[in-house]
Amino acid sequence: MFEKIEAKTVGLRLVQSSDAEFIYNLRINDNLNKYLSSIFGGIENQRQWIEKYKEKEYSKEEFYFIIYRKDTHESIGTVRLYDFIKAKNSFCWGSWILNENKTRYAAVESALLVYELAFKKLEFEQSHFEVRKENIKVVDFHRKFGAKQVDDNEIEFFFTYSKNEYIDFSKKYKRFL
Ligand SMILES: CC(C)(COP(=O)(O)OP(=O)(O)OC[C@H]1O[C@@H](n2cnc3c(N)ncnc32)[C@H](O)[C@@H]1OP(=O)(O)O)[C@@H](O)C(=O)NCCC(=O)NCCS
């Protein structure tokens, strides 16, 4: 359906089972996993998880991407679209991680690519996602994009972001794409 989608310095490509070791190393990196759920098992477990995920990709229930640098083609992170809610035409995104080899604006670019893909290609109308309250930088990041906080609990803030809000916001961000 789509091989890859690219912004100015980074791109997204679908995860393959050969990415298991890269993802495993990312998830066990203590500088990056403070606010993420922990993974079980080792590299082989990751590989099996990816193989199960590929079935969901085939039936368009979920998309899991490697974020890569365009200049070196090096893998620098991951991002995942999942929990597609048909009744609201809404998708959730997460598993968003970038390692120390990221480009300066890889975060902005990868978020824009998620929304470009979801709102313009997959035709979703809304996004929903949660962020741990303690993950202050990431909470701020989504607020700057104009995401709306719709709920919270002890641990997390819940956000929504609509296609119209994104279309409006992204007019000022064309330089990143
Ligand atoms: C989440 C994550 C991918 C975000 O990437 P990041 O590089 O930390 O993102 P930043 O907020 O620093 O943004 C990158 C740059 O874009 C800038 N930026 C962010 N939002 C911007 C906006 N709306 N407009 C313009 N610039 C913006 C930042 O200022 C920063 O530039 P700077 O280095 O010159 O200050 C990364 O922090 C990560 O891997 N975290 C660990 C895993 C995690 O917690 N994931 C989220 C779970 S919900």
Side-chain angles (χ1 to χ4, degrees):
M1 187 173 63
F2 36 77
E3 281 306 302
K4 60 178 185 185
I5 174 170
E6 291 187 333
K8 196 137 229 171
T9 68
V10 305
L12 308 182
R13 62 162 179 85
L14 290 164
V15 160
Q16 307 295 338
S17 49
S18 53
D19 296 311
E21 187 170 358
F22 170 74
I23 295 175
Y24 173 78
N25 286 323
L26 208 56
R27 301 293 300 223
I28 60 160
N29 181 333
D30 287 336
N31 296 321
L32 299 172
N33 64 14
K34 221 187 286 174
Y35 308 112
L36 298 172
S37 50
S38 39
I39 54 154
F40 298 101
I43 296 168
E44 189 45 39
N45 244 350
Q46 273 301 312
R47 199 183 318 277
Q48 284 164 12
W49 198 95
I50 293 169
E51 269 155 28
K52 270 200 210 119
Y53 147 74
K54 284 306 236 187
E55 291 167 22
K56 295 187 198 165
E57 178 188 299
Y58 185 73
S59 54
K60 300 186 172 67
E61 284 171 66
E62 197 170 307
F63 298 104
Y64 193 11
F65 294 99
I66 292 290
I67 306 170
Y68 62 90
R69 290 181 68 111
K70 277 168 71 182
D71 56 356
T72 59
H73 299 283
E74 182 185 3
S75 303
I76 53 170
T78 58
V79 69
R80 194 161 65 96
L81 279 65
Y82 60 103
D83 187 26
F84 299 167
I85 303 176
K86 280 227 170 77
K88 294 183 184 166
N89 205 4
S90 187
F91 73 99
C92 183
W93 68 285
S95 306
W96 188 32
I97 316 176
L98 283 165
N99 72 15
E100 64 287 354
N101 298 326
K102 64 192 171 189
T103 59
R104 177 159 180 196
Y105 294 113
V108 178
E109 291 180 28
S110 56
L112 290 171
L113 287 176
V114 164
Y115 291 131
E116 285 289 313
L117 179 73
F119 291 140
K120 296 186 180 170
K121 289 205 162 77
L122 302 172
E123 299 185 330
F124 282 103
E125 288 295 324
Q126 194 185 281
S127 174
H128 59 280
F129 50 90
E130 64 268 348
V131 184
R132 301 248 183 113
K133 287 181 170 177
E134 292 176 339
N135 203 352
I136 292 166
K137 244 185 76 175
V138 177
V139 168
D140 266 8
F141 182 98
H142 289 297
R143 290 206 168 120
K144 266 200 243 163
F145 259 62
K148 261 196 226 126
Q149 186 197 311
V150 288
D151 204 356
D152 73 327
N153 62 25
E154 223 170 283
I155 301 159
E156 290 165 319
F157 288 124
F158 297 89
F159 290 97
T160 62
Y161 194 46
S162 72
K163 177 175 178 171
N164 288 340
E165 283 159 341
Y166 172 68
I167 300 290
D168 204 34
F169 172 86
S170 62
K171 286 178 189 151
K172 296 173 286 173
Y173 279 72
K174 295 230 183 317
R175 68 184 183 282
F176 292 103
L177 285 172

